[in-house]
Amino acid sequence: MHGQCLLQSAISRPPSSLVEKHHSREYPGPTAGLVPHSISTGVSNLSLRRSSKSILYSKFLDNGLLLPNKICFKVTPTVGWLGPRAVLASDLAASELVEKFDLDGQSQLQVNVVKSTAGSPTTIHLQVTNSNPSLILHWGAVNYDKKNWILPSHRPNGTQDYKKRALRTPFTKSGESSFLTIEILDTNISAIEFILYDQSREKWFKYEGQNFHIDLPRGDSGTPQKGDSGKPQVSIPEELVQIQAYLRWERRGKQIYTPEQEKEEYEAARKELQDEVAKGLSINDIREKLQGGGSLGDGSLSMKIPDDLIQVQSYIRWETAGKPNYSQEKQLQEFEEARKDLENELSKGISLADLRKKLQSGDTQKKAPDRIGKPKNIQRIHRKKRDILQMINKFPDKKENIKVSVEPEKRSALALCSQVMEALDGGSVLQKKIFKFGDKELLVLITNPRGKVHVRLATDMEGPLTLHWGLSKHSAREWTPPPLDILPEGSNLLQLACDTPFKEGFAGDASLKSVEIEIDKSSFLGMPFVLSLNGNWIKDNGSDFYFSLREKDTKPVKAVGDGIGTAKGLLHAIAEQESEAERSLMHRFNIATGLTKRAKDEGELGLAGILVWMRFMATRQLTWNKNYNVKPREISAAQDRLTDLLQQIFTEQPHNREIVRLIMSTVGRGGQGDVGQRIRDEILVIQRNNECKGGMMEEWHQKLHNNTSPDDVVICQALIDYAKSDFNMDVYWNTLISNGVTKERLGSYDRKICSEPRFSHDQKYGLIRDLTAYLRTLKAVHSGADLESAIATCMGYSAEGRGFMGGVRIHPISGLSSELPGLLQFIMEHIEDKWVGPLLEGLLEARFELRSNLLKPHDRLKDIIFLDLALDSTVRTAIERGFEELNNAQPSEIIYFITMVLENLSLSSDNNEEIIYCLKDWHHTIDLCKSKSDQWALYAKAVLDRTRLALTEKAEHYQKVLQPSAEYLGGLLGVDQSALSIFTEEMIRAGSAASLSLLLNRLDPVLRNIAHLGSWQVISPVEVRGFVITVDELAKVQNEVYGQKTILVANRVKGEEEIPDGVVAVLTPDMPDVLSHVSVRARNSKVCFATCFDPNILDDLRAKEGKALSIRPTSSDLVYNEIKVNEVLDDSENLSQGHGVSQGIALKKKKFNGKYAISADEFSDELIGAKSRNIAYLRGKVPSWVRVPVSVALPFGVFEKVLSEDMNKGVAEKIEALDKLVAKGDFSKLHKIREIVLQMNAPSQLVGELKDKMQRANMPWPGEEGEERWLQAWMAIKRVWASKWNERAYFSTRKAKIDHSDLCMAVLVQEIISADYAFVIHTTNPSTGDSSEIYAEIVKGLGETLVGAYPGRAMSFVTKKSDLNQVKVLGYPSKPIGLFIRQSIIFRSDSNGEDLEGYAGAGLYDSVPMDEEEKRTIDYSSDPLVVDHNFRRSILSKIAQVGHAIEELYGSPQDVEGVVKDGEIYVVQTRPQM
């Protein structure tokens, strides 16, 4: 976008209290938004009450501007800062056209003058057409006495003083023309004179060789001011003059005045009020106007019906009509209709003041229907079609980027010497800090042994160094001279301080120098100082050093643990500097910059530490300012340094962009952070400060965290009114109901508000204070104020100064998309639309357009990031507001919302590959829904499950990276424990992931109903009774023994766990495959096992902790009821029954038969296990189109033989010793045994025999590719043997009372098939026991994702054996990951402890491929098995036929594993179905 653009939207900060009049002018607040100059002389500087935008909006048109019409829906005068006010041109209808001048035949100068009125200056507008961008106005003013030029003190932005004889002001280029506006405040000025200068052409433009001369019309009084037409001036109360002066200062940008300017402004305010009195207003009228938040001097009070009230009524009419897009003509008509409405009210006898109060209280709002039907013709932007796979961000595993600093960094000589001196003083440390100055350090150590305060300063700086110091006796940082009796040797006492030279040596280290001072601790508060080195002062970030000499009142802190999983050294550095950081935000940002430089080199955990610290700051867990005065510009400069560094890290470390974004959202502009996030943070502060954590306030807190909406503004106002009325409940309900928030509406939220507020009188003023501040935050969010500020910063704007305040010129960011301005304008026009779909589309399109700018370096990248953060935040707020829209929505509408939230989440995430593929799946779901496919809901349920897994993975990553740092640093800083325990939860709830989860929860029951899935999937249908116990993870209790029949409600079940003794049922929201290990184990052990999809049912089960239940599975559901305790206790059935385990299963220990390797025709039950024998049996017996890979084996006894070799004697001794410890119950040694097994060496005979057998079977010998490949194969073999000591396998055999030493491990060697799909078949349906049905599951890639602990579900199907071509899909795949491998060799475990009668040992031991599998994220939306009906039916039918053929061959139900490659079916193993 070329040139400068001005965002023309009437958005401002909501009205604030007039008590701000007492604020110091030295510290103006941050810019909240941008408001265009009001063209109407009747309505100026007014902010929005009910809406954040003008109906008569402005548009970006190429390089020019369409200026707002006279009617702007900006109402309710406010004392809030409106930001810089742009002045580009005047309303010509209200101007006097003086003249047009031809300049050079191509350009034309046009001059318009707007006559001054009460409270407004004379304004001159200059426009030069067809101009160059380098045009300068060289000008001055003429007094009525027509003497020399004078130079007005009020000047446009960018004006320079030329040799104290003239002013030079640049024009603003917009389109083909240049514009300039001059405001004349001095009523003694009668004219201006000027010439034009084109810098690029070095050309002057004059009028017939002379200056251009423009006479100015006289103001309302007709003469230079001598007192309002000669009438005596009226006396105005000084407090009203002060308020009016404050309002003038505020609407002119809160600039810093000189004393002369302050005086001039004060008298101008007085004159404005006197003018109003002269027009007939009483002092009481003026007082009521000002104290009601209004502003005088705009002529509004002298009109019968003020324009601001007409604008309020116009807005209400427009909103009631559904916020249509009116033409300009229609807008003017609506304005006049609104005027008639109000005239009609006045004709009924209502006063103007009452009318204003009625409008401002929102009384007319209740006339608008609460729910307006969805508009038929909704304006939408055109969304581009994009290849969303191009949006993938994929970085290496972040483990590679994490540096875990378990110990603090290496200590310097100064730090070591400090330890010596601390020990010398008995460890009684009051203060200790080490400052860094480049590669040099300064130690300040203050101790208090034996009733005296010892101050030691030491350093490794070189050169003569002097301590310039004093003492504070009455107040902190006060400078008074120290007593003579404590001065160190060589000191020089000055008037208010003392100079003491550093002496050589410190704690025995001659390379250091130091000063030591002993002070009576009862006499002084603290010690200020600076250093002098070679004539240069050394200070603390530009301020004096200061240390307290008193003992701190420290809060007891929680034990912080060992800091594992954190950048521990960095967290200690943060804690050490917190006392300095809490002095002011300037100090905090400066310190944060230094620590962030360090964190940058410590990877993700280092940045996590900074994020946690900044988040503690943003949520007011830490002190922001401790009696330290600092100028806003100093805070801004410190903040700029920090955000500049974060911008640099964002560019240099793309894998850490997400965490950098989170840090920047806590810092923001001016320390305010993300306003949307502040809604969540500040309610916690209000509850904490006012001790109101229960009842209605807690319900509202939950509602705010769940989905904040414009209703929250009303609720907050109702609470304020309630408190102000001394807690009159009628006032509370009146405010709510009059604004459309009824009791029924409060109860309709996802997080209902059912209680009434109950406060005590001692809470009154704290609540009014905090809720009033909170109301501004709520209004800021729901009017898009933060977003507007970010847009204006990126799009650029020019704002002329007003009064004696300088203007602002922000240039547009270069390189932005040409479509972005239009998108941003669309967003601001629709920011408050009830129907948020089009707004969300615009927000996402704008984020997509910004994305390319975020991925490359830019000198203003941080401004782009802040805009993206603002858009992201607005998406979240809009989604929450849109939940009501979805109450009765069709599934397709909810799915569309889900796709938009996923888009938003993907644009904010580092590794977003899984999110992108979920998004792609949802788009395919929409297509299926539109095509009316009978499978669309079943497919959508799988996509929903996959999306939930993606959210879970993201939440777990946040928990892993952030929570340890939060707890450790929070402990060091004494942060409230309640804030620490929910730290990560609050971070997650603040993002799009929380909104997405709510949408998924809303859609889930709808899909289950359409797909006839019910609330349960019963994996093992067993009727049981037991006592309920809730656990987080099944894996954590799998080795427990429960003494009574137990029903476990487990939040997490991965699929590889064992079921603990005593457990009769496992109920979980997790979704392990029906053929996973834990599922098979449940069925074999006669344990009820089921997945519950309904969170309400799960909550009910968890609430029954400790109670006795009976569980009865049905064909499609699971029914549970409470029963009497004795119904469980009286059940005398032994707990070991039902587990299907015979007591004391005996294994026949196998011996080495003299062969290290055997071929398939040598397989026998004495040499190898059933797995190898079965695969050999299949060869030549299955149909010819079924392939069976060739195989060889390392038989039983080979492991023991190799271990007994002399070369492995040391390994054998270690294993024997560790095995004894395991037998005694030290199960931690199992892992160590596995590691030692990997140290075994291979006898040459084993290598030779295995090579021979493999080559004879036409299998590739790894050694042919080099020694390294053989070593890979040998390591895989050892891993199979080592899996004998897997925890799961060990405990399983232990429970079955199998002697672990009798377990022998053969190794089946097969050529691995690089599979497209892998499957497992059960030839009898395991869920129903129906032997007429075949059940199978199939996954993309290798079968490890099916039988191992990989999240998500496989595609599942059943078919009747009577018609194998009729396949019924039960569930579509939701596994996010597939495993793929090159053509290779796999070494499969084949023990003598598998497939025993009464004991299912399959799956306990490892099968290890020689090469590592590649993990790939699966795209099901393009997978033919999912999207191609004919292909799916063909493959699934073939798989069913294979299972049926093998069952026929063996004559019993079979558990078959196989793969699909290029449409061919391979069977890799079969065993009896258990």
Coordinates of all heavy atoms in Angstrom, one line a residue, residues 573-605:
A573 N 18.1 -16.6 38.5 CA 18.5 -15.2 38.2 C 17.3 -14.3 38.2 O 17.4 -13.1 38.6 CB 19.2 -15.2 36.8
I574 N 16.2 -14.7 37.7 CA 14.9 -13.9 37.8 C 14.6 -13.6 39.2 O 14.3 -12.4 39.6 CB 13.8 -14.7 37.1 CG1 14.0 -14.7 35.6 CG2 12.4 -14.0 37.4 CD1 13.0 -15.6 34.8
A575 N 14.6 -14.6 40.1 CA 14.2 -14.4 41.5 C 15.2 -13.4 42.2 O 14.7 -12.6 43.0 CB 14.2 -15.8 42.2
E576 N 16.5 -13.5 41.8 CA 17.5 -12.6 42.5 C 17.2 -11.2 42.1 O 17.5 -10.3 42.8 CB 18.9 -13.1 42.0 CG 19.3 -14.3 42.7 CD 20.7 -14.8 42.1 OE1 21.2 -14.1 41.3 OE2 21.1 -15.9 42.5
Q577 N 16.7 -11.0 40.9 CA 16.5 -9.6 40.4 C 15.1 -9.1 40.6 O 14.8 -7.9 40.2 CB 16.9 -9.5 38.9 CG 18.4 -9.8 38.7 CD 18.9 -9.4 37.3 OE1 18.8 -8.2 37.0 NE2 19.4 -10.3 36.6
E578 N 14.2 -9.9 41.1 CA 12.8 -9.5 41.3 C 12.6 -8.2 42.2 O 11.8 -7.3 41.9 CB 11.9 -10.6 41.8 CG 10.5 -10.2 42.1 CD 9.7 -9.6 40.9 OE1 10.1 -10.0 39.8 OE2 8.8 -8.8 41.1
S579 N 13.4 -8.2 43.3 CA 13.3 -7.0 44.2 C 13.6 -5.7 43.4 O 13.1 -4.7 43.7 CB 14.2 -7.2 45.4 OG 15.6 -7.3 45.0
E580 N 14.5 -5.8 42.5 CA 14.9 -4.6 41.7 C 13.8 -4.4 40.6 O 13.4 -3.2 40.3 CB 16.2 -4.8 41.0 CG 16.7 -3.6 40.2 CD 17.1 -2.4 41.1 OE1 17.2 -2.6 42.3 OE2 17.2 -1.3 40.5
A581 N 13.3 -5.5 40.0 CA 12.3 -5.3 39.0 C 11.0 -4.7 39.5 O 10.3 -4.0 38.7 CB 12.0 -6.7 38.3
E582 N 10.7 -4.9 40.7 CA 9.4 -4.4 41.2 C 9.4 -2.9 41.5 O 8.4 -2.4 41.9 CB 8.9 -5.2 42.5 CG 9.8 -5.0 43.6 CD 9.4 -6.0 44.8 OE1 8.7 -6.9 44.6 OE2 9.9 -5.7 45.9
R583 N 10.5 -2.3 41.3 CA 10.6 -0.8 41.5 C 9.7 -0.1 40.5 O 9.0 0.9 40.9 CB 12.0 -0.3 41.4 CG 12.9 -0.7 42.5 CD 14.3 -0.4 42.3 NE 14.6 1.0 42.1 CZ 15.8 1.5 41.7 NH1 16.8 0.7 41.5 NH2 15.9 2.8 41.6
S584 N 9.7 -0.5 39.3 CA 8.8 0.1 38.3 C 8.8 -0.8 37.0 O 9.6 -1.7 36.9 CB 9.3 1.5 37.9 OG 10.4 1.4 37.1
L585 N 7.8 -0.6 36.1 CA 7.8 -1.3 34.9 C 9.0 -1.0 34.1 O 9.5 -1.9 33.3 CB 6.5 -1.0 34.1 CG 5.2 -1.5 34.7 CD1 4.0 -1.0 33.9 CD2 5.2 -3.0 34.7
M586 N 9.6 0.2 34.2 CA 10.8 0.4 33.4 C 11.9 -0.5 33.9 O 12.6 -1.1 33.1 CB 11.2 1.9 33.7 CG 12.6 2.3 33.0 SD 13.3 3.8 33.6 CE 13.9 3.2 35.2
H587 N 12.1 -0.7 35.2 CA 13.1 -1.6 35.7 C 12.8 -3.0 35.3 O 13.7 -3.7 34.9 CB 13.1 -1.5 37.2 CG 13.7 -0.2 37.8 ND1 12.9 0.9 37.9 CD2 14.9 0.1 38.2 CE1 13.6 1.9 38.4 NE2 14.9 1.5 38.6
R588 N 11.5 -3.4 35.4 CA 11.2 -4.8 35.0 C 11.5 -5.0 33.5 O 12.1 -6.1 33.2 CB 9.7 -5.0 35.3 CG 9.3 -6.5 35.1 CD 7.9 -6.8 35.6 NE 7.7 -6.5 37.0 CZ 8.1 -7.3 37.9 NH1 8.7 -8.5 37.6 NH2 7.9 -7.0 39.2
F589 N 11.1 -4.1 32.6 CA 11.4 -4.4 31.2 C 12.9 -4.3 30.9 O 13.4 -5.1 30.1 CB 10.6 -3.3 30.4 CG 9.1 -3.5 30.4 CD1 8.3 -2.4 30.4 CD2 8.6 -4.7 30.4 CE1 6.9 -2.5 30.4 CE2 7.2 -4.9 30.4 CZ 6.4 -3.8 30.4
N590 N 13.6 -3.5 31.6 CA 15.1 -3.4 31.4 C 15.7 -4.7 31.8 O 16.6 -5.3 31.1 CB 15.7 -2.2 32.1 CG 15.5 -0.9 31.3 OD1 15.4 -0.9 30.1 ND2 15.5 0.2 32.0
I591 N 15.3 -5.2 33.0 CA 15.8 -6.5 33.5 C 15.4 -7.6 32.6 O 16.2 -8.5 32.3 CB 15.4 -6.7 35.0 CG1 16.1 -5.6 35.9 CG2 15.7 -8.1 35.5 CD1 15.5 -5.6 37.3
A592 N 14.2 -7.6 32.2 CA 13.6 -8.6 31.3 C 14.4 -8.7 30.0 O 14.7 -9.8 29.5 CB 12.2 -8.4 31.0
T593 N 14.8 -7.6 29.5 CA 15.6 -7.6 28.3 C 16.9 -8.3 28.5 O 17.3 -9.2 27.7 CB 15.9 -6.1 27.8 OG1 14.7 -5.5 27.6 CG2 16.7 -6.1 26.5
G594 N 17.6 -8.0 29.6 CA 18.9 -8.7 29.9 C 18.7 -10.2 30.1 O 19.4 -11.1 29.5
L595 N 17.6 -10.6 30.8 CA 17.4 -12.0 31.0 C 16.9 -12.7 29.8 O 17.2 -13.9 29.6 CB 16.4 -12.2 32.2 CG 16.9 -11.7 33.6 CD1 15.8 -11.7 34.6 CD2 18.0 -12.6 34.0
T596 N 16.2 -12.0 28.9 CA 15.7 -12.7 27.7 C 16.9 -13.0 26.8 O 16.8 -13.9 26.0 CB 14.7 -11.8 27.0 OG1 13.6 -11.5 27.9 CG2 14.1 -12.4 25.8
K597 N 17.9 -12.1 26.8 CA 19.1 -12.4 26.0 C 19.7 -13.7 26.4 O 20.1 -14.5 25.6 CB 20.1 -11.3 26.2 CG 19.7 -10.0 25.5 CD 20.8 -8.9 25.7 CE 20.4 -7.6 25.1 NZ 21.3 -6.5 25.4
R598 N 19.7 -14.0 27.7 CA 20.2 -15.3 28.2 C 19.2 -16.4 27.8 O 19.7 -17.5 27.4 CB 20.3 -15.2 29.7 CG 20.7 -16.5 30.4 CD 21.0 -16.3 31.9 NE 21.1 -17.6 32.6 CZ 21.3 -17.7 33.9 NH1 21.5 -16.6 34.6 NH2 21.4 -18.9 34.4
A599 N 17.9 -16.1 28.0 CA 16.9 -17.2 27.7 C 17.0 -17.6 26.2 O 16.7 -18.7 25.9 CB 15.5 -16.7 28.1
K600 N 17.3 -16.6 25.4 CA 17.4 -16.9 23.9 C 18.3 -18.0 23.7 O 18.1 -18.9 22.8 CB 17.9 -15.6 23.3 CG 18.2 -15.8 21.8 CD 18.8 -14.5 21.2 CE 19.2 -14.6 19.8 NZ 19.9 -13.4 19.3
D601 N 19.4 -18.2 24.5 CA 20.4 -19.2 24.2 C 20.1 -20.5 25.0 O 20.8 -21.5 24.8 CB 21.8 -18.7 24.7 CG 22.3 -17.5 23.9 OD1 21.9 -17.4 22.7 OD2 22.9 -16.6 24.5
E602 N 19.0 -20.5 25.8 CA 18.7 -21.7 26.6 C 17.5 -22.4 25.9 O 16.9 -23.3 26.5 CB 18.4 -21.3 28.0 CG 19.6 -20.7 28.7 CD 19.5 -20.9 30.2 OE1 19.0 -21.9 30.7 OE2 20.1 -20.0 30.9
G603 N 17.0 -21.9 24.8 CA 16.0 -22.6 24.0 C 14.6 -22.4 24.6 O 14.3 -21.5 25.3
E604 N 13.7 -23.4 24.4 CA 12.3 -23.3 24.7 C 12.1 -23.1 26.2 O 11.3 -22.3 26.7 CB 11.5 -24.5 24.2 CG 10.0 -24.3 24.4 CD 9.2 -25.5 23.8 OE1 9.8 -26.6 23.9 OE2 8.1 -25.3 23.3
L605 N 12.8 -23.9 27.0 CA 12.7 -23.8 28.5 C 13.1 -22.4 29.0 O 12.5 -21.9 30.0 CB 13.4 -24.9 29.2 CG 12.8 -26.3 29.1 CD1 13.6 -27.3 29.9 CD2 11.3 -26.3 29.5

